[in-house]
Coordinates of all heavy atoms in Angstrom, one line a residue:
E148 N -52.7 49.6 -30.0 CA -53.3 49.8 -31.3 C -52.8 48.7 -32.2 O -51.7 48.2 -32.1 CB -53.0 51.2 -31.8 CG -53.4 52.3 -30.9 CD -53.1 53.7 -31.5 OE1 -52.8 53.7 -32.7 OE2 -53.2 54.7 -30.8
Y149 N -53.6 48.4 -33.2 CA -53.1 47.4 -34.2 C -52.9 48.0 -35.6 O -53.5 49.0 -36.0 CB -54.1 46.2 -34.3 CG -55.4 46.4 -34.8 CD1 -55.8 46.2 -36.1 CD2 -56.5 46.8 -34.0 CE1 -57.0 46.4 -36.6 CE2 -57.7 47.0 -34.4 CZ -58.0 46.8 -35.8 OH -59.3 47.0 -36.2
L150 N -51.9 47.5 -36.3 CA -51.3 48.1 -37.5 C -52.1 47.7 -38.7 O -52.0 48.3 -39.8 CB -49.9 47.6 -37.7 CG -48.9 48.0 -36.6 CD1 -47.6 47.2 -36.8 CD2 -48.6 49.5 -36.7
E151 N -52.8 46.5 -38.7 CA -53.5 46.0 -39.9 C -52.4 45.6 -40.9 O -52.6 45.7 -42.1 CB -54.5 46.9 -40.5 CG -55.6 47.3 -39.6 CD -56.6 48.2 -40.2 OE1 -56.4 48.7 -41.4 OE2 -57.7 48.5 -39.6
G152 N -51.3 45.1 -40.4 CA -50.2 44.6 -41.3 C -48.9 45.3 -41.0 O -48.9 46.5 -40.9
V153 N -47.8 44.6 -41.0 CA -46.5 45.2 -40.7 C -46.1 46.1 -41.8 O -45.3 47.0 -41.5 CB -45.5 44.0 -40.5 CG1 -45.1 43.3 -41.8 CG2 -44.2 44.6 -39.8
D154 N -46.6 46.0 -43.0 CA -46.2 46.9 -44.1 C -46.6 48.3 -43.8 O -46.0 49.2 -44.4 CB -46.9 46.4 -45.4 CG -46.3 45.1 -45.9 OD1 -45.2 44.8 -45.5 OD2 -47.1 44.4 -46.6
K155 N -47.5 48.5 -42.9 CA -48.0 49.9 -42.6 C -47.2 50.5 -41.5 O -47.4 51.7 -41.1 CB -49.5 49.9 -42.2 CG -50.4 49.4 -43.4 CD -51.8 49.5 -43.0 CE -52.7 49.1 -44.2 NZ -54.2 49.3 -43.9
L156 N -46.2 49.8 -40.9 CA -45.5 50.3 -39.8 C -44.8 51.6 -40.1 O -44.9 52.6 -39.3 CB -44.5 49.3 -39.3 CG -43.6 49.7 -38.1 CD1 -44.4 50.1 -36.9 CD2 -42.6 48.5 -37.7
P157 N -44.0 51.8 -41.2 CA -43.4 53.1 -41.4 C -44.4 54.3 -41.5 O -44.1 55.3 -40.9 CB -42.7 52.9 -42.8 CG -42.5 51.4 -42.9 CD -43.7 50.8 -42.2
D158 N -45.5 54.1 -42.1 CA -46.5 55.2 -42.2 C -47.1 55.5 -40.8 O -47.3 56.7 -40.4 CB -47.6 54.8 -43.1 CG -47.1 54.8 -44.6 OD1 -46.1 55.4 -44.9 OD2 -47.8 54.1 -45.4
V159 N -47.3 54.4 -40.0 CA -47.9 54.6 -38.7 C -46.9 55.4 -37.8 O -47.3 56.3 -37.0 CB -48.3 53.2 -38.1 CG1 -48.6 53.4 -36.6 CG2 -49.4 52.6 -38.8
L160 N -45.6 55.0 -37.8 CA -44.6 55.7 -37.0 C -44.4 57.1 -37.5 O -44.2 58.0 -36.6 CB -43.3 54.9 -37.1 CG -43.3 53.5 -36.4 CD1 -41.9 52.9 -36.6 CD2 -43.6 53.6 -34.9
A161 N -44.5 57.4 -38.7 CA -44.4 58.7 -39.2 C -45.5 59.6 -38.7 O -45.3 60.8 -38.4 CB -44.3 58.8 -40.8
E162 N -46.7 59.0 -38.6 CA -47.8 59.8 -38.1 C -47.8 59.9 -36.6 O -48.1 61.0 -36.0 CB -49.1 59.1 -38.5 CG -50.4 59.8 -38.0 CD -51.6 59.1 -38.5 OE1 -51.6 58.2 -39.3 OE2 -52.7 59.5 -38.0
F163 N -47.3 58.9 -35.9 CA -47.2 58.9 -34.4 C -46.1 59.8 -33.9 O -46.2 60.4 -32.9 CB -47.0 57.4 -33.9 CG -46.9 57.3 -32.4 CD1 -48.0 57.6 -31.6 CD2 -45.7 57.0 -31.9 CE1 -47.9 57.5 -30.2 CE2 -45.6 56.8 -30.5 CZ -46.7 57.1 -29.7
R164 N -45.0 59.9 -34.7 CA -43.8 60.7 -34.3 C -43.2 60.4 -33.0 O -43.3 61.2 -32.0 CB -44.2 62.2 -34.4 CG -44.5 62.7 -35.8 CD -44.9 64.1 -35.9 NE -46.1 64.4 -35.0 CZ -46.8 65.5 -35.0 NH1 -46.4 66.5 -35.8 NH2 -47.8 65.7 -34.2
P165 N -42.6 59.2 -32.8 CA -42.0 58.9 -31.5 C -40.9 59.9 -31.2 O -40.3 60.5 -32.1 CB -41.4 57.5 -31.8 CG -42.1 57.0 -33.0 CD -42.4 58.2 -33.8
G166 N -40.7 60.1 -29.9 CA -39.6 61.0 -29.4 C -39.4 60.8 -28.0 O -39.9 59.9 -27.3
R167 N -38.7 61.8 -27.4 CA -38.5 61.7 -25.9 C -39.8 61.7 -25.2 O -40.7 62.6 -25.3 CB -37.7 63.0 -25.5 CG -37.3 63.0 -24.0 CD -36.5 64.3 -23.7 NE -36.3 64.4 -22.3 CZ -35.3 63.8 -21.6 NH1 -34.4 63.1 -22.3 NH2 -35.2 64.0 -20.3
G168 N -40.0 60.7 -24.3 CA -41.3 60.6 -23.6 C -42.5 60.1 -24.4 O -43.6 60.1 -23.9
R169 N -42.2 59.7 -25.6 CA -43.3 59.3 -26.5 C -42.8 58.1 -27.3 O -42.4 58.2 -28.5 CB -43.7 60.4 -27.5 CG -44.9 60.1 -28.4 CD -45.2 61.3 -29.2 NE -46.3 61.1 -30.1 CZ -47.6 61.1 -29.8 NH1 -48.0 61.5 -28.6 NH2 -48.6 60.9 -30.7
R170 N -42.7 57.0 -26.6 CA -42.1 55.8 -27.2 C -43.1 54.9 -27.9 O -44.3 54.9 -27.6 CB -41.4 54.9 -26.1 CG -40.2 55.6 -25.5 CD -39.6 54.8 -24.4 NE -38.4 55.3 -23.9 CZ -37.5 54.7 -23.1 NH1 -37.9 53.5 -22.6 NH2 -36.4 55.3 -22.7
A171 N -42.6 54.1 -28.8 CA -43.5 53.2 -29.6 C -42.9 51.8 -29.4 O -41.7 51.6 -29.8 CB -43.6 53.6 -31.0
G172 N -43.7 50.9 -28.9 CA -43.3 49.5 -28.8 C -44.1 48.7 -29.9 O -45.3 48.9 -30.0
V173 N -43.4 47.9 -30.6 CA -44.1 47.2 -31.8 C -43.9 45.7 -31.6 O -42.8 45.2 -31.5 CB -43.5 47.7 -33.1 CG1 -44.3 47.0 -34.3 CG2 -43.6 49.2 -33.2
L174 N -45.0 44.9 -31.7 CA -45.0 43.5 -31.7 C -45.4 42.9 -33.1 O -46.4 43.3 -33.5 CB -45.9 42.9 -30.6 CG -46.0 41.4 -30.5 CD1 -44.7 40.8 -29.9 CD2 -47.2 41.0 -29.7
V175 N -44.5 42.2 -33.7 CA -44.8 41.6 -35.0 C -44.7 40.1 -35.0 O -44.0 39.5 -34.2 CB -43.9 42.2 -36.1 CG1 -44.0 43.7 -36.2 CG2 -42.4 41.8 -35.8
D176 N -45.4 39.5 -35.9 CA -45.4 38.0 -36.0 C -44.2 37.6 -36.9 O -43.7 38.3 -37.8 CB -46.7 37.5 -36.7 CG -47.9 37.9 -35.9 OD1 -47.8 38.1 -34.7 OD2 -49.0 37.9 -36.6
H177 N -43.7 36.4 -36.6 CA -42.7 35.7 -37.5 C -41.5 36.6 -37.7 O -41.0 36.8 -38.8 CB -43.3 35.4 -38.9 CG -42.6 34.3 -39.6 ND1 -42.2 34.5 -40.9 CD2 -42.1 33.1 -39.2 CE1 -41.5 33.4 -41.3 NE2 -41.5 32.6 -40.3
L178 N -40.9 37.1 -36.6 CA -39.7 37.9 -36.7 C -38.5 37.0 -36.6 O -38.0 36.7 -35.5 CB -39.7 38.9 -35.5 CG -38.5 40.0 -35.6 CD1 -38.7 40.8 -36.8 CD2 -38.6 40.8 -34.3

Side-chain angles (χ1 to χ4, degrees):
E148 300 181 14
Y149 65 96
L150 299 168
E151 299 182 353
V153 71
D154 294 332
K155 297 186 178 182
L156 179 56
D158 293 337
V159 168
L160 291 179
E162 181 179 352
F163 179 67
R164 293 178 301 190
R167 181 181 174 86
R169 187 178 177 81
R170 295 180 171 185
V173 184
L174 177 71
V175 299
D176 300 336
H177 200 230
L178 188 64

